[in-house]
Amino acid sequence: MNCTGHRSGSTAFVLLTAILFGAFLFGVSVTSRSPAVASTSAQELPEGEWWAWTYVPATDMLYLINDSGEQAAIPRPRLPDEIAPEISSPQISISPDSRFMTIAAELENGNTGLGFFDIQAREFLQIHQAAPGEDVILATERPFAGSRNAYDADGERLAIGFATASDQSWRVIIFEVATGDSLNVFDYTNPSLEALDFSELIPPVYPKIVYFADDTVHTQFIEYGQPLGAENPAFAWDLDDDVAADSPYTRSRLDVLPDEGTMVFTYVDPETDTVELAAGAPVTAFNAIGTGLDSVDVPLRQSADQIHWQVEWAAGGTLVLFSASPTPLDPPQWHALNLETGAESGLDPTITTAAGLPEGFISLDQSGVLAFHPLDDPVESTVIWEAPGGNEPVILWSSPAETAFGLEEIPPTPDAVVSVEQLEIRRDPGYGSQVVVTVPFNTGLRLTGRLADNTWVQVEAPDGELGWVFARSVRLHEALDEVPVINTAIIAPPSPTPLPPTAQPLPTIAFFVADTYQVRPAECVTISWSVANAERVVLRTTSASTSTLEEVPLTGSALKCPPDNPTNYTLEATSNSGTISQVILVLVDPSY
């Protein structure tokens, strides 16, 4: 996670917007309109009783599902210069009507990017970049998934928390979902905070949005690196007056009914025994579930033999879904509690996640199977979808009550998408070939050919122009073995004009990339590079057990098998004016 704030509050925000271009939050760093390939048409979506988005981290794919099954599969949109998702997990938030997606992910420069994406138009509306060292808080207890309660009642605005652990600063920013524009900013320098009692907090902290309604944002403070207690200090930010007051939404594990503001939460009932925990255990033995606001208005369940973990509303407040286990080491079992009948149903023990729907709920089990459970019989389930390839999915979003589904169609997935800011398409393969057209980040391209070694691919741009691009500069969605091989030579860059020794420029590294940055033991990676203005280029391998150096050509690739975790590969380019270098870090992880 990557989040933080500025010391000068809204003044700093205005200055950053005015003077920076994509350096820190929140100048606009990319506004990208990406036409789909003209020969394909959008997929019109059918009617559905309910909808859900799932995400498979192993493949970075998103799946749109309704009561009839899978309706679309799309690659998760990536930010420009985003690092590989297997190294840093993205946070993904989908608007209540399912039309817009907000993505926070780590970039190659170490900062966090924040992108606002129109799913139906298949384009980024706006991309911001957080300040150095600043964390962006979108995700909640459910991995990868942004909180649905961080949207206002109309789903038009989204509240996002930011924090910087190094200087203990934080802020909350309201964005317009349909544009990505920032609307309001509240940070730790606001004078109204002085009237609130946060004396028990141990900084640094980050702000977690728990509820956004009636132009008020309820935010909890979470201490970095500390286990969750029963409650967290919270404040309510009034957007109209720009002041903070005490908030009743302090329970550390809770869900909120959007229209009513009623919480369901876990708590420790002092009249009920609790599961005995080991000394120093980083968990709280929640022995009860309740619903209400300032106090436990309605106790729903107490158990001296179980720890309650997650809670979630379903069926518009008729059902409470919760997970519980006898000890912290036992896998939690999900249950459904009907508040109208009082009936409690224990669900299949293999279920790992449950998410509410207007007329029931959906679940995911250990095998990646998604099933629907009706309101009148929660134990009964109908299998709807199974994750491809046996991969483990997560539920990002499910239909909220009283919110219309806002997607009418899904654009086709192009064969390849530009993954750099500006991509030069060349007449022939090679950086020495003539540029025929330049296309921006996120542009869809059609694959028409490839070299036998897959280093360069032939593409068709949206305007119909054919040309070649380096394969690592696009995100491929079409298997290359299905693309025809074209036998043609790579056009190398022209040799630089010799300069006097005192005037020779420093070398330049056009690119230095690996096809993956995380492998299992004994697996290998392909490293590719291109250098100009260098008299000597070497590739250095460094790990705990190895330090080797080999001289390599200006442009090339090599298959490398990392001996240890981690292993650094350093490309050093030297001229008589000096040496420049770039480093690739490859992780060796047996569990990958």
Side-chain angles (χ1 to χ4, degrees):
M1 189 172 62
N2 212 354
C3 346
T4 188
H6 292 286
R7 296 187 178 278
S8 51
S10 59
T11 302
F13 172 82
V14 173
L15 289 175
L16 285 172
T17 303
I19 66 176
L20 296 182
F21 182 77
F24 305 121
L25 198 61
F26 281 102
V28 180
S29 53
V30 172
T31 300
S32 185
R33 307 284 176 180
S34 303
V37 178
S39 60
T40 56
S41 58
Q43 172 190 344
E44 187 173 336
L45 294 173
E47 295 291 327
E49 294 182 4
W50 56 263
W51 295 84
W53 280 101
T54 63
Y55 173 59
V56 177
T59 58
D60 208 22
M61 290 290 294
L62 296 163
Y63 297 88
L64 180 60
I65 301 158
N66 70 1
D67 51 292
S68 298
E70 181 182 310
Q71 301 302 323
I74 64 173
R76 195 262 305 170
R78 292 184 185 174
L79 307 178
D81 299 322
E82 181 184 327
I83 67 172
E86 58 266 24
I87 298 177
S88 177
S89 302
Q91 303 173 70
I92 307 166
S93 180
I94 296 177
S95 64
D97 66 356
S98 187
R99 173 66 186 265
F100 301 101
M101 183 186 308
T102 303
I103 301 166
E106 186 175 349
L107 308 179
E108 292 178 358
N109 63 7
N111 297 339
T112 297
L114 183 66
F116 293 83
F117 188 79
D118 185 331
I119 297 174
Q120 185 160 297
R122 203 188 69 79
E123 65 182 16
F124 275 103
L125 303 164
Q126 197 167 158
I127 298 175
H128 304 289
Q129 193 171 151
E134 185 170 46
D135 294 325
V136 179
I137 300 99
L138 274 180
T140 56
E141 286 78 10
R142 188 182 298 166
F144 303 96
S147 170
R148 64 185 180 185
N149 291 324
Y151 292 88
D152 68 359
D154 297 324
E156 297 176 352
R157 294 174 295 172
L158 172 64
I160 301 178
F162 300 82
T164 305
S166 61
D167 66 7
Q168 301 180 12
S169 60
W170 58 266
R171 56 184 171 163
V172 176
I173 300 180
I174 309 298
F175 293 91
E176 185 176 42
V177 175
T179 64
D181 290 340
S182 58
L183 304 176
N184 308 83
V185 185
F186 186 94
D187 74 3
Y188 72 109
T189 65
N190 190 288
S192 64
L193 292 167
E194 297 177 3
L196 307 182
D197 182 12
F198 298 131
S199 58
E200 296 183 2
L201 278 176
I202 301 175
V205 299
Y206 63 87
K208 174 187 173 183
I209 314 301
V210 293
Y211 186 41
F212 185 1
D214 300 325
D215 282 336
T216 302
V217 180
H218 297 268
T219 303
Q220 293 184 1
F221 286 126
I222 310 297
E223 297 174 359
Y224 272 96
Q226 300 299 316
L228 287 178
E231 297 189 57
N232 297 310
F235 69 93
W237 169 26
D238 185 318
L239 299 185
D240 294 330
D241 297 330
D242 196 35
V243 296
D246 287 320
S247 169
Y249 295 94
T250 60
R251 307 289 182 170
S252 60
R253 297 191 183 276
L254 81 166
D255 191 21
V256 184
L257 274 178
D259 292 337
E260 302 176 15
T262 303
M263 288 186 290
V264 61
F265 49 84
T266 61
Y267 69 101
V268 178
D269 179 14
E271 305 299 324
T272 304
D273 291 339
T274 60
V275 173
E276 186 174 348
L277 301 176
V283 297
T284 298
F286 294 109
N287 61 1
I289 296 174
T291 180
L293 280 177
D294 294 305
S295 61
V296 183
D297 295 336
V298 181
L300 299 180
R301 184 183 198 265
Q302 297 89 21
S303 173
D305 302 320
Q306 289 183 315
I307 301 174
H308 298 82
W309 300 100
Q310 293 174 269
V311 287
E312 181 162 337
W313 287 113
T318 302
L319 287 179
V320 170
L321 308 175
F322 67 92
S323 61
S325 64
T327 73
L329 301 180
D330 294 310
Q333 180 180 5
W334 279 89
H335 302 253
L337 176 62
N338 190 310
L339 300 190
E340 292 183 350
T341 65
E344 179 182 315
S345 305
L347 306 180
D348 189 325
T350 65
I351 290 175
T352 58
T353 307
L357 294 171
E359 297 297 331
F361 61 96
I362 53 176
S363 67
L364 276 175
D365 68 13
Q366 296 169 353
S367 301
V369 173
L370 184 142
F372 170 72
H373 302 251
L375 169 62
D376 56 357
D377 188 0
V379 176
E380 182 70 22
S381 64
T382 303
V383 172
I384 302 295
W385 174 81
E386 183 173 358
N391 290 306
E392 182 179 355
V394 295
I395 298 173
L396 291 180
W397 175 94
S398 56
S399 293
E402 300 180 6
T403 300
F405 186 66
L407 278 177
E408 297 177 357
E409 59 185 26
I410 293 288
T413 298
D415 297 341
V417 172
V418 176
S419 58
V420 296
E421 290 281 1
Q422 297 289 326
L423 178 63
E424 295 177 333
I425 300 178
R426 300 176 181 272
R427 184 73 62 194
D428 298 292
Y431 286 101
S433 178
Q434 174 189 355
V435 175
V436 295
V437 66
T438 300
V439 292
F441 166 77
N442 205 43
T443 299
L445 305 171
R446 187 170 71 90
L447 290 176
T448 56
R450 62 184 173 97
L451 296 184
D453 62 0
N454 295 334
T455 55
W456 288 78
V457 291
Q458 188 185 59
V459 298
E460 180 185 345
D463 63 358
E465 190 77 55
L466 281 178
W468 290 80
V469 299
F470 185 63
R472 301 280 201 284
S473 60
V474 295
R475 184 183 180 189
L476 299 172
H477 301 144
E478 176 77 10
L480 282 180
D481 56 7
E482 300 177 5
V483 178
V485 173
I486 298 176
N487 294 313
T488 185
I490 294 179
I491 309 299
S495 300
T497 303
L499 297 173
T502 56
Q504 185 173 352
L506 279 171
T508 57
I509 299 177
F511 61 86
F512 180 44
V513 295
D515 60 351
T516 183
Y517 297 88
Q518 188 170 6
V519 296
R520 297 185 180 92
E523 290 184 342
C524 302
V525 299
T526 299
I527 296 177
S528 305
W529 64 88
S530 181
V531 176
N533 302 324
E535 297 175 354
R536 182 171 184 260
V537 182
V538 297
L539 181 61
R540 188 186 303 274
T541 303
T542 308
S543 70
S545 63
T546 302
S547 180
T548 62
L549 183 146
E550 59 182 305
E551 192 160 345
V552 296
L554 292 178
T555 299
S557 62
L559 186 67
K560 294 293 180 180
C561 303
D564 301 294
N565 182 42
T567 297
N568 286 321
Y569 295 98
T570 305
L571 188 72
E572 299 176 355
T574 302
S575 71
N576 64 5
S577 295
T579 298
I580 64 169
S581 64
Q582 287 188 13
V583 179
I584 288 175
L585 175 67
V586 177
L587 302 178
V588 182
D589 185 355
S591 64
Y592 174 59

